[in-house]
Amino acid sequence: MRRVEHVMGFPVSLRIDDAYADEETADPVFAWLREVDARFSPFLADSEVSRLDRGELRPDEISRDLVEVLGLCEEYRVASRGAFDARLPGRGLDPCAVVKGWSVQRATELLVARGVGRFCLNAGGDVVTYGGPWRVGVRHPEVADELCAVLEITDGAVATSARYERGDHIFDGRTGRPATGLLSVTVVAPSPTEADATATAAFAMGAEGVEWAAAREGCEVFAVDAERRVLRTAGFPVAG
Amino acid sequence: MKRAISVVVLTAAGLIPLWRYEPSSATTTTEVAAPTPAPSSTASSSASSSPSTSAAASQVVQGSTVTTSKGAVQVEVTFEGDRISSVRMLQQPNHPQTTAAVPVLIKETLRAQSADIDTVSGATITSEGYARSLQAALDTKGS
């Protein structure tokens, strides 16, 4: 079965290949992602994130999920030496880059817990595969309907950060300026949390982010720099 | 004294990989386990040392500052007789280190290609942009 829904401002495509799978199999995934949007969107005034940012929540009133998300934000801020920051000066709390991967990971766990054996979930360009092989294309940074790499993945996550879709939306927390050192960076990792946050942080860091991401445990990297050169790790799972 | 100098130089060189592999935030002063000093060593020309005590029992020696790609590194070694009892970092870069060795990156040329694929990874697409995306075509096509 296949389903596409628009949640959190981007399309979410789910494909489940198990023969018994029907709409009901997919329902918990989309219900969860809609719940995440309502609770963690900085664009919704009554979300937990917005209320925390306005000082309306005491520390003991923050949900366990948000504590986990904020903990991940801090982990990646420290790891990226401040390039990745959910609290940029002059801006509200924006944990979106972590929430996306984290919520997709939870969605994946819902499917696995239900015994689904083969699925592919694409949340606005971030991909999780299970029970592969799956063939995952990486969008070419300059030509929308072409690819610049094709991967073969069994179980894992692929995330790409670039500004060709939403313009300058990733800022280097160290300078407060839009990140422009790379055209795109793609990270393959065991979990979507790691793939998404590492790709975002590496993009924020610019050229030095490629080596930084490549040094992270379990991460394989494919990056296109501002001079259109490709840099990739030896273990990046290019399809044969 | 000459022997002590050469030991310190080797220790400083041996510590750099150790410090590179340190998993998280580095502080300006760190105690590390004392490595075994090399019994026969050749002196390096870049050594400078300043023993703070001349007593036979305990001696503190500062190594020369070694410049690495991450910044300056300097160690201080305390000897108990001929044995190193502790090593302290006097100088080290104060930013967190990565947990793995510097990876080898393969350089390639950017090439456009099309191929038979199941899904597409790309920068977060907007719901408006989805309609004309490769992923939309794949979703419509079915399996």
Side-chain angles (χ1 to χ4, degrees), chain B residues 21-87:
Chain B
Y21 278 81
E22 192 171 278
S24 62
S25 60
T27 54
T28 49
T29 302
T30 313
E31 293 284 344
V32 295
T36 311
S40 64
S41 53
T42 51
S44 163
S45 58
S46 65
S48 69
S49 66
S50 53
S52 58
T53 63
S54 54
S58 182
Q59 193 179 33
V60 180
V61 181
Q62 292 182 358
S64 58
T65 301
V66 178
T67 306
T68 75
S69 61
K70 306 284 185 187
V73 181
Q74 187 186 21
V75 296
E76 180 189 77
V77 182
T78 304
F79 291 88
E80 299 290 344
D82 275 343
R83 293 195 53 210
I84 292 176
S85 60
S86 77
V87 180

Side-chain angles (χ1 to χ4, degrees), chain A residues 32-206:
Chain A
W32 162 249
L33 294 176
R34 281 191 296 268
E35 179 192 327
V36 169
D37 192 28
R39 291 171 58 193
F40 300 129
S41 172
F43 309 110
L44 299 174
D46 62 344
S47 74
E48 197 182 343
V49 164
S50 296
R51 294 178 61 214
L52 175 66
D53 203 28
R54 288 195 302 266
E56 294 170 14
L57 292 178
R58 292 194 313 269
D60 62 329
E61 291 175 319
I62 305 170
S63 70
R64 287 173 62 101
D65 285 342
L66 185 52
V67 169
E68 190 179 335
V69 164
L70 295 175
L72 285 166
C73 288
E74 182 60 11
E75 190 181 319
Y76 285 98
R77 187 188 68 81
V78 171
S80 69
R81 297 161 206 151
F84 173 91
D85 200 334
R87 292 179 185 272
L88 289 167
R91 292 169 169 264
L93 173 63
D94 183 357
C96 288
V98 161
V99 166
K100 192 179 179 198
W102 170 83
S103 62
V104 168
Q105 184 164 330
R106 281 280 186 88
T108 304
E109 288 160 8
L110 288 173
L111 291 172
V112 174
R114 291 190 137 212
V116 176
R118 181 174 157 86
F119 65 84
C120 177
L121 178 62
N122 188 324
D126 286 356
V127 174
V128 187
T129 66
Y130 188 78
W134 290 96
R135 288 173 64 88
V136 182
V138 176
R139 207 208 97 154
H140 191 287
E142 294 178 313
V143 193
D145 56 353
E146 300 271 9
L147 309 172
C148 59
V150 178
L151 320 182
E152 189 168 292
I153 293 175
T154 303
D155 303 329
V158 187
T160 300
S161 268
R163 55 195 182 118
Y164 49 71
E165 285 291 343
R166 297 185 178 219
D168 290 327
H169 68 295
I170 298 176
F171 293 82
D172 184 341
R174 300 167 300 184
T175 62
R177 298 175 62 85
T180 56
L182 297 172
L183 288 188
S184 80
V185 58
T186 299
V187 174
V188 177
S191 77
T193 306
E194 173 71 8
D196 198 1
T198 301
T200 306
F203 193 83
M205 291 170 90

Side-chain angles (χ1 to χ4, degrees), chain A residues 6 13 122 135 137 147 160 232, chain B residues 106 108 116 120-121 127 139:
Chain A
H6 293 266
S13 309
N122 188 324
R135 288 173 64 88
L147 309 172
T160 300
R232 70 167 176 92
Chain B
I106 298 169
E108 289 177 349
D116 188 21
V120 182
S121 173
S127 291
D139 289 333

Side-chain angles (χ1 to χ4, degrees), chain B residues 9 17 23 29 35 44 56 59-60 62 72 89 105 109 113 117 130-131 140:
Chain B
V9 171
T29 302
S44 163
Q59 193 179 33
V60 180
Q62 292 182 358
M89 295 293 252
L105 292 166
T109 309
Q113 53 181 301
I117 50 166
Y130 170 73
T140 308

Side-chain angles (χ1 to χ4, degrees), chain B residues 90-102:
Chain B
L90 292 178
Q91 282 188 62
Q92 69 187 75
N94 62 0
H95 56 71
Q97 297 301 309
T98 53
T99 54
V102 175

